[in-house]
Amino acid sequence: MSDRRNLSRREFIRMVGASGPGLALFGACGSAERGGRGSAGREPAEEDEMNVILIIVDSLRKDHVGAYGNRWILTPNMDALAADSLRFDRAYPESLPSIPARRAIHTGLRTWPFRDWHRASRQDVNLYGWQPVPEDQTTLAEILHAAGYSTMLVTDTLHQFRPGYNFHRGFDVFHFVRGQERDLYRPASLCPEGALRKVLLGGPKREHATRIMRQYLANTRGRRREEDWFAPRVFLKAMEFLDSAREAQPFFLLVDAYDPHEPWDPPAHYVRLYDEEYRGLEPQIASSGDSGWLEERQLKRMRALYAAEVTMVDRWLGNFLDRTQELGLLEETLVILLSDHGHAFGEHGIAGKVPSALYPELLDIPLLLRHPEGRGAGRSTGYPASTHDVAPTILGNVGLDPPSPMDGTDLTPLLEGDRPGQERPHLTAGYHDHAWARDGEYALIVRRDGSEPRLFDLREDPDQRRDVAPERPEIVERMFEEYILSDAGGPLPAY
């Protein structure tokens, strides 16, 4: 596909359509639900304190963003944000997928190695670490709320809606945009007749994928305008919150967008940017596992649908950032954007998110840190960063100490070109029953008991195509014992 990165933002808007948020949509956030724990005893904030906007974009691969070298996907707004930010070139989730990663973001504490895991009630995701924020852990929102911040959350990440998951704790207002994926928002029987027959379904989890799509198609029935899609709805609600936040500074606004998570069904004008010739069933869902069931043309279409979804998210992120600037808030607001993990599209023979496939397409995530005074703007850093660094970094920037120590490190010194207090010769992560470790030379993927290791020499093989574990068992043993078991504080839990 051709290089599209030289497009101006005006040309980009012309390509994807001129529709945008109308001024009539901006107003009070009275439709948001009241919530949050610990509102009593809140201290008034000092004047001129820094606001914070934290943006989580689910399933966004680093190599699908122009600022990280992508040459065929349109992401002008993320690229512009990166130009004003400190860009992290080595950022990874502490654990994954969605819920474990968000627990680390919200608390600054490691979720992996998933100790004391139990399958939560009313839960259909049976993955280690997939459970609520523990009651004895304090969230970033609770800390900022107690310091006098107005705290707001808008998200369409459906798993956070479940009772008792505690992601809304500490927020004065929160708004859940309903209907993503298998959210039981409408009866599945409302799935439009014939709609499911237009979707390509197959692979190792065909039955599961079919259930998701039937529910999703019922949830999204009746959409007409682009503003009815999920990413626009999330960022439009976030803009409403901004209007109210302007009168209630300092504020903390968390914008958590589930797109570009599957299913991928963006409006057609985005898809045409990447693929105009396809005429088959739409591969809108990956059926996570072996990608061998997909023909190469179907994989190409799947990649195009994902790229189109990324571009739609980027466009509405741009609308949101434009509104932030119009309100005069960017000059006094710290902005952080990151993802929780990526998604595989046939690399290493996998499509989707599989615990054993802890390769760059799943683990390399974007992380941008924009300081209102321009510190670190336009620079990049190779310091290894992770999702559990977000909370201590925000607190470090606004001058607050956590009530108890956090596992993550404050990345603020990097804005001035200094090193954080914690050196990181290696990083570790976990996904269900698999663990991952890497340093400057090697990456290791292994089951929780150390079996079935795969080792890659990053100096010669950055894409991790050639497993050298049989040739270098001593390195496998060292990384498993000195990195994985050491970080875990002992053997990984067995269930």
Side-chain angles (χ1 to χ4, degrees), residues 81 127-128 179 216 238 262 270 324 337 385 425 439 482 492:
L81 179 62
L127 294 172
Y128 301 158
Y216 181 81
E262 59 185 325
Y270 290 104
T324 309
L337 180 144
D439 54 22
E482 297 182 11
L492 301 187

Side-chain angles (χ1 to χ4, degrees), residues 477-495:
E477 182 179 5
R478 175 178 62 82
M479 293 182 71
F480 183 68
E481 292 182 356
E482 297 182 11
Y483 296 173
I484 293 175
L485 295 186
S486 176
D487 284 7
L492 301 187
Y495 302 99

Side-chain angles (χ1 to χ4, degrees), residues 68 78 81-82 85-87 335-337 366-370:
Y68 284 99
M78 292 185 210
L81 179 62
S85 302
L86 177 64
R87 188 189 74 221
V335 179
I336 295 179
L337 180 144
L367 173 58
L368 305 175
L369 174 57
R370 183 194 182 277

Side-chain angles (χ1 to χ4, degrees), residues 215-282:
Q215 182 66 59
Y216 181 81
L217 291 167
N219 291 345
T220 56
R221 180 177 182 174
R223 292 188 302 192
R224 296 290 182 267
R225 306 178 305 149
E226 183 173 329
E227 288 83 352
D228 297 330
W229 264 251
F230 288 104
R233 291 170 64 191
V234 168
F235 283 108
L236 284 169
K237 178 57 67 174
M239 289 183 225
E240 291 185 22
F241 279 7
L242 280 177
D243 277 10
S244 297
R246 182 176 50 172
E247 309 301 326
Q249 300 183 59
F251 65 81
F252 169 49
L253 172 58
L254 173 51
V255 185
D256 187 345
Y258 199 50
D259 287 339
H261 192 288
E262 59 185 325
W264 307 293
D265 64 338
H269 55 273
Y270 290 104
V271 181
R272 287 193 295 269
L273 294 172
Y274 303 106
D275 189 355
E276 296 187 82
E277 301 173 355
Y278 186 79
R279 296 294 180 268
L281 298 177
E282 292 289 6

Side-chain angles (χ1 to χ4, degrees), residues 142-165:
E142 289 176 308
I143 297 170
L144 292 173
H145 179 92
Y149 277 71
S150 302
T151 52
M152 299 160 286
L153 164 67
V154 56
T155 182
D156 62 336
T157 302
L158 66 157
H159 312 294
Q160 299 180 89
F161 308 164
R162 298 183 185 277
Y165 262 55

